[in-house]
Amino acid sequence: MTSSTKASRTLKYTDGATQFRQRIITSLLSSRPLLLRNIRSDDLDAPGLREHEASFLRLLDRMTNGTKIEINATGTQLRFKPGVLLGGEIEHDCPVGANGRSVGWFLEGIFPLAAFGKEPLQLTLRGVTDGTSDVDPSPDYLSASLIPLMIKLGIGSDGDHPPPLLKVMQRGAAPMGGGSVDFYCPIVKELKPLELVDFGKVKRIRGTA
């Protein structure tokens, strides 16, 4: 492949950290390099990537083989060359405090990738689990909403592996965290078509406290 062909395949964006996780997900699933420019370049006090975004990149580096990540000195430009998703057992500490984000923010970025590794993913995330529902989804919300959709898409329905599971092992309130969640996801060769055309009946309303 010539250098011009490689350049044409590169996903290029100049609007900084907009849709940061989604663009990295697209890069990994399409095996196309990614170039992000102007990452908060207009923020004179704190330009570049935030701590939680850098932490997300480190997590993906551990989940893959062959991924190359290049960040310039100011953190305002990111070159991301995707590797191969591996899966396996991984533990990761999510940043907490004023510059951190909850484990739900990280899980949102991992869910679209989890089923496409070489082996099932067993991920343990530690950090904030509760108290940030105004900006990040809680593990309980993700377990009740996205996990059922993953099963409907055929992930874990072949009988060879258990279905996806997200479990809160320990609660950790914002801002200092201390919580822990376990996320398991089997691999899938092909997703099933998803049809949700009937709303159905509301049988009960429950809450988690």
Side-chain angles (χ1 to χ4, degrees):
M1 184 180 295
T2 65
S3 58
S4 61
T5 303
K6 290 181 179 179
S8 64
R9 294 188 68 252
T10 300
L11 302 169
K12 299 179 181 179
Y13 301 95
T14 59
D15 54 352
T18 303
Q19 297 182 338
F20 178 78
R21 292 166 298 172
Q22 290 84 348
R23 289 170 176 176
I24 293 178
I25 291 168
T26 301
S27 173
L28 279 163
L29 294 181
S30 65
S31 299
R32 296 177 63 182
L34 173 67
L35 174 62
L36 297 182
R37 291 193 177 103
N38 302 320
I39 302 174
R40 301 183 183 89
S41 56
D42 57 347
D43 189 338
L44 300 181
D45 295 326
L49 291 170
R50 297 291 185 253
E51 183 179 356
H52 61 277
E53 294 165 339
S55 179
F56 184 69
L57 290 173
R58 290 193 294 270
L59 173 57
L60 292 181
D61 188 43
R62 298 178 63 189
M63 289 179 56
T64 59
N65 181 39
T67 293
K68 295 183 179 180
I69 302 170
E70 298 178 6
I71 304 171
N72 68 353
T74 59
T76 57
Q77 178 173 295
L78 166 68
R79 290 184 180 273
F80 184 86
K81 183 179 180 182
V84 178
L85 287 164
L86 297 178
E89 296 184 8
I90 299 173
E91 296 184 6
H92 184 74
D93 292 318
C94 306
V96 298
N99 298 320
R101 296 292 289 266
S102 76
V103 297
W105 185 88
F106 287 80
L107 287 168
E108 273 189 318
I110 297 302
F111 271 33
L113 304 170
F116 300 103
K118 296 294 184 181
E119 57 182 323
L121 175 66
Q122 181 65 59
L123 175 65
T124 297
L125 293 177
R126 291 182 288 267
V128 173
T129 61
D130 297 274
T132 60
S133 59
D134 56 328
V135 291
D136 297 327
S138 69
D140 304 285
Y141 172 81
L142 294 174
S143 179
S145 58
L146 294 187
I147 293 294
L149 285 178
M150 295 175 73
I151 296 174
K152 288 181 179 295
L153 286 168
I155 301 174
S157 63
D158 56 5
D160 294 335
H161 300 284
L165 177 65
L166 176 60
K167 186 175 182 180
V168 179
M169 306 305 295
Q170 182 173 322
R171 299 281 176 179
M176 300 312 297
S180 176
V181 300
D182 284 350
F183 172 51
Y184 169 80
C185 184
I187 58 176
V188 66
K189 294 182 179 179
E190 184 178 1
L191 296 177
K192 294 180 179 179
L194 179 62
E195 292 187 11
L196 296 175
V197 295
D198 295 324
F199 182 82
K201 296 181 179 180
V202 178
K203 295 183 178 179
R204 64 180 66 90
I205 298 177
R206 295 175 293 180
T208 301

